[in-house]
Amino acid sequence: MYSSSANVSERQAAPPSLAISTVIFALRPSESSGRPTLWLPLVRRIREPFKGLWALPGGPLSHSESLQDAASRNLRETTGLAPSYLEQLYAFGGLHRSPTQRVVSIVYWALVQPTEAALADESENVRWFRADRLGELAFDHNAIVDYALWRLRNKLAYGSVAYHLLGEYFTLAQVREVYEAVLDRELDPANFRRQLKSTPEIEETGEYLQGGKHRPPRLYRFTGRPGLDPDNRSTL
Amino acid sequence: MYSSSANVSERQAAPPSLAISTVIFALRPSESSGRPTLWLPLVRRIREPFKGLWALPGGPLSHSESLQDAASRNLRETTGLAPSYLEQLYAFGGLHRSPTQRVVSIVYWALVQPTEAALADESENVRWFRADRLGELAFDHNAIVDYALWRLRNKLAYGSVAYHLLGEYFTLAQVREVYEAVLDRELDPANFRRQLKSTPEIEETGEYLQGGKHRPPRLYRFTGRPGLDPDNRSTL
DNA sequence: CGAGTTATGGTCAAACTGACCATAACTGAT
DNA sequence: ATCAGTTATGGTCAGTTTGACCATAACTCG
């Protein structure tokens, strides 16, 4: 087990350090089926503790930025991405999250559009993984990803997050594929489309998606606003 | 405007301090109508900044306790109460929440049962207020309470939080009164009861509430479990 | 031009919701 | 004792929503 150089009283005296992490979701075609699946980028730990294991992108909170700005910067620095959706997930503050020191992590979760996600940086120490096939992660990050997935599924069922995983224009079948990927079950195309059509925030365009192998589907656009987090309320 | 003794560079160098606050809701009969209404306890600021104003109970995070434990202790120390429900609300980390220093507050919200709430400490510097009639509070605490109320209304509509504002045994009309108080609109007694009766988590007892002026209503019991926060998942 | 496949519109019954009516059961006043 | 007042409780009915499923439209490819 790891042993800090600081003795117990010194460790107790140091304030708990505060870090920001982000769970970033994007859709990518599965290698096997080709259908869209959830992926997320992880960074390799290059220092103890958990050296060599994969972890959520994160870092300390700097003084001149809000929590959301810190998460946003973080995301950009590690993956080069600009999120289309960003929301606070939870503050994790258990005593033994890190073996070396007390760390409180304020975790955000983000959605990025596939056009963005395609440009994402990938390197020796930054790699994308299928959200349902992660190995053992550093710290309590497996639990954090689980919780983020739970939240995503929830928000999907009610709210309007699905469109942030798609581009500006999309077909109703693409929306359905998002739901099927995230909820992991098939949905009836006709019933699903009926529900979406009764949603005022989804606007029919005159365009059709060309180049497919079959009947060209109509393109739609999402005109709604995100949620009403404390962080986002002022900007409404 | 308040001026810290530390100069700018010193303030930038100090790490953002981390505090825990709690929004505590309980039901109390309204003075006017006598019907249950939402109340919450506030503490008076005895120091700058915002000296003299009312604020949410809170304090620094100590090193040997988890976030939830800190919130729980906080709650007990300021009001003498043990919550029947406690959930993390949000981490507030805007740059200018406090004029004197950068503070990140992790806020919890709690529900306490009326039997508990009746015993609550009240003093010169701790007082209960109607949730819909708060004056100007210290820091960004008005916004925090607003958000907590929004969350409470939301959780009520779906989940199972209402029962944590009531005692172990309750009548269906009492549950309806909780909904009416929180959502601030009247609900049809017959329809409301039909919904509750179709909820498997609400169990009919053989007892009746005696001593009322009219037909004695049957008493029920709630047998469900709370939500599935990261903090609570392990205890399930 | 026909087969294959997706897009899209529709039907039907079951489940759910909100508005509303009726009866039961108690207290308190007459 | 009886009745008026009030809440508890059960029920009806029409409108809406949901899930299962069928049918036609429109495109590509061989």
Side-chain angles (χ1 to χ4, degrees), chain A residues 19 39 58 63-64 78 89 116 123 142 145 180 183 192 207:
Chain A
W39 292 68
H63 297 264
S64 55
T78 55
L89 178 65
E116 278 278 329
S123 69
N142 282 300
V145 172
E180 291 180 338
L183 302 179
F192 185 80
E207 315 283 315

Side-chain angles (χ1 to χ4, degrees), chain A:
Chain A
M1 188 168 174
Y2 183 87
S3 167
S4 164
S5 64
N7 66 32
V8 171
S9 60
E10 276 172 327
R11 284 173 56 186
Q12 299 252 355
S17 57
L18 190 53
I20 305 288
S21 297
T22 47
V23 183
I24 304 160
F25 293 116
L27 289 177
R28 296 188 159 196
S30 140
E31 300 112 327
S32 44
S33 73
R35 306 212 298 198
T37 1
L38 268 185
W39 292 68
L40 53 86
L42 297 174
V43 301
R44 198 197 299 272
R45 299 266 317 158
I46 54 175
R47 292 190 303 187
E48 294 293 353
F50 298 107
K51 183 173 174 179
L53 283 189
W54 294 95
L56 294 171
L61 174 66
S62 102
H63 297 264
S64 55
E65 55 189 2
S66 68
L67 301 178
Q68 180 147 231
D69 289 345
S72 200
R73 173 181 55 80
N74 213 296
L75 203 150
R76 181 168 12 91
E77 285 176 1
T78 55
T79 62
L81 295 173
S84 62
Y85 184 83
L86 181 61
E87 182 189 306
Q88 193 180 105
L89 178 65
Y90 202 77
F92 294 85
L95 269 57
H96 309 295
R97 301 182 55 238
S98 165
T100 55
Q101 58 173 335
R102 174 81 191 277
V103 183
V104 173
S105 291
I106 299 179
V107 180
Y108 278 74
W109 65 288
L111 303 177
V112 301
Q113 302 187 333
T115 48
E116 278 278 329
L119 313 170
D121 299 339
E122 203 149 1
S123 69
E124 176 67 18
N125 293 323
V126 178
R127 193 187 299 168
W128 287 73
F129 295 84
R130 277 188 60 158
D132 55 352
R133 293 186 193 168
L134 304 175
E136 185 200 344
L137 306 184
F139 305 104
D140 52 355
H141 290 188
N142 282 300
I144 293 179
V145 172
D146 284 348
Y147 184 57
L149 276 168
W150 179 84
R151 247 305 239 289
L152 171 60
R153 293 196 182 100
N154 247 295
K155 284 263 168 176
L156 202 66
Y158 302 111
S160 46
V161 291
Y163 316 101
H164 299 286
L165 284 167
L166 296 168
E168 186 184 356
Y169 297 93
F170 48 81
T171 70
L172 299 188
Q174 286 172 336
V175 181
R176 179 167 49 82
E177 286 178 326
V178 175
Y179 275 74
E180 291 180 338
V182 173
L183 302 179
D184 194 31
R185 64 191 169 94
E186 304 217 327
L187 301 170
D188 182 280
N191 290 339
F192 185 80
R193 109 183 258 94
R194 179 178 53 191
Q195 288 204 358
L196 291 195
K197 297 219 85 163
S198 74
T199 306
E201 293 164 324
I202 295 179
E203 187 180 80
E204 194 174 290
T205 74
E207 315 283 315
Y208 293 81
L209 178 62
Q210 303 294 346
K213 295 185 202 299
H214 308 291
R215 173 172 176 179
R218 187 187 285 273
L219 289 170
Y220 293 79
R221 187 197 282 117
F222 178 68
T223 59
R225 299 243 108 260
L228 12 58
D229 268 16
D231 280 342
N232 295 326
R233 289 191 165 184
S234 50
T235 56
L236 289 180

Side-chain angles (χ1 to χ4, degrees), chain B residues 18-170:
Chain B
L18 191 52
I20 305 288
S21 297
T22 47
V23 184
I24 305 160
F25 292 117
L27 249 28
R28 294 188 160 196
S30 140
E31 301 113 327
S32 44
S33 72
R35 307 211 299 198
T37 1
L38 268 185
W39 292 68
L40 53 86
L42 297 174
V43 301
R44 197 197 300 270
R45 299 267 316 159
I46 54 174
R47 291 190 305 186
E48 292 294 351
F50 299 108
K51 182 173 175 180
L53 283 190
W54 295 94
L56 294 171
L61 174 66
S62 102
H63 296 265
S64 55
E65 56 189 1
S66 68
L67 301 178
Q68 180 146 230
D69 288 346
S72 200
R73 173 181 54 79
N74 213 296
L75 203 152
R76 182 168 12 91
E77 286 176 0
T78 54
T79 62
L81 296 173
S84 62
Y85 184 83
L86 181 60
E87 182 188 307
Q88 193 180 106
L89 178 66
Y90 202 76
F92 294 84
L95 269 58
H96 308 295
R97 301 183 55 239
S98 164
T100 55
Q101 59 173 336
R102 174 82 191 277
V103 183
V104 173
S105 291
I106 299 178
V107 180
Y108 278 73
W109 66 288
L111 302 178
V112 301
Q113 302 187 331
T115 47
E116 277 279 329
L119 314 170
D121 298 339
E122 204 148 359
S123 69
E124 175 67 17
N125 293 320
V126 177
R127 193 187 299 168
W128 288 73
F129 295 85
R130 277 188 61 158
D132 56 352
R133 294 186 192 168
L134 304 176
E136 185 201 344
L137 306 184
F139 305 104
D140 53 355
H141 290 188
N142 282 300
I144 294 179
V145 172
D146 284 348
Y147 184 58
L149 276 168
W150 179 84
R151 244 314 235 287
L152 171 59
R153 292 195 183 101
N154 246 292
K155 284 262 169 177
L156 201 67
Y158 303 112
S160 46
V161 290
Y163 316 102
H164 299 285
L165 284 166
L166 296 168
E168 186 183 355
Y169 297 93
F170 48 81

